[in-house]
Amino acid sequence: QVQLVESGGGLVQAGGSLRLSCAASGSIFSISAVGWYRQVSGEQRKLVAAINSLYRTNYADSVKGRFTISRDNARNTVYLQMNSLKPEDTGVYYCNLKSEYDYWGQGTQVTVSS
């Protein structure tokens, strides 16, 4: 099976930057699509950014031009570089891997202060 571990979250001021990492176990990482989702209390998880096995990416409109998703298959890791952070970016960020099953990490908290 696949295990995902997110890291890199924290408390930052508006306008600052964070780099999230999603480290995966297992041998299927390189052929799988991976996405970052954000969940705000009381709301459903929403897609922030995704990258597939061909390195094609897509982003939520709210983060285009500010966030960049990338992957390093040699390290079984996906990154989310978050720049020009806004308070509305606050939430718990989860890593998701699509395969036979839908795998999720435990989440990492991102808090952006005004």
Side-chain angles (χ1 to χ4, degrees), residues 26 35 44 47 49 54 60 63 69 78 81 84-85 93-94 101 104:
Q44 292 183 315
L47 179 67
L54 300 176
V63 307
I69 188 170
V78 167
Q81 179 66 47
S84 302
L85 282 162
Y93 284 72
Y94 295 89
Y101 301 100
W104 293 91

Side-chain angles (χ1 to χ4, degrees), residues 82-102:
M82 305 187 295
N83 298 325
S84 302
L85 282 162
K86 303 175 180 179
E88 50 263 44
D89 296 320
T90 293
V92 179
Y93 284 72
Y94 295 89
C95 182
N96 168 256
L97 183 146
K98 295 289 187 181
S99 184
E100 180 182 3
Y101 301 100
D102 208 19

Side-chain angles (χ1 to χ4, degrees), residues 7-98:
S7 62
L11 174 64
V12 298
Q13 292 182 309
S17 298
L18 285 173
R19 189 193 194 197
L20 306 184
S21 297
C22 172
S25 65
S27 61
I28 65 171
F29 177 84
S30 64
I31 61 172
S32 302
V34 180
W36 283 99
Y37 291 73
R38 179 177 65 242
Q39 185 168 33
V40 180
S41 61
E43 300 181 6
Q44 292 183 315
R45 293 181 188 180
K46 296 181 179 180
L47 179 67
V48 175
I51 185 167
N52 71 8
S53 61
L54 300 176
Y55 297 85
R56 296 187 185 276
T57 61
N58 63 79
Y59 299 90
D61 288 341
S62 61
V63 307
K64 288 180 178 177
R66 299 188 297 119
F67 291 9
T68 302
I69 188 170
S70 61
R71 67 190 301 160
D72 184 344
N73 289 341
R75 295 182 179 272
N76 268 25
T77 301
V78 167
Y79 304 96
L80 184 67
Q81 179 66 47
M82 305 187 295
N83 298 325
S84 302
L85 282 162
K86 303 175 180 179
E88 50 263 44
D89 296 320
T90 293
V92 179
Y93 284 72
Y94 295 89
C95 182
N96 168 256
L97 183 146
K98 295 289 187 181

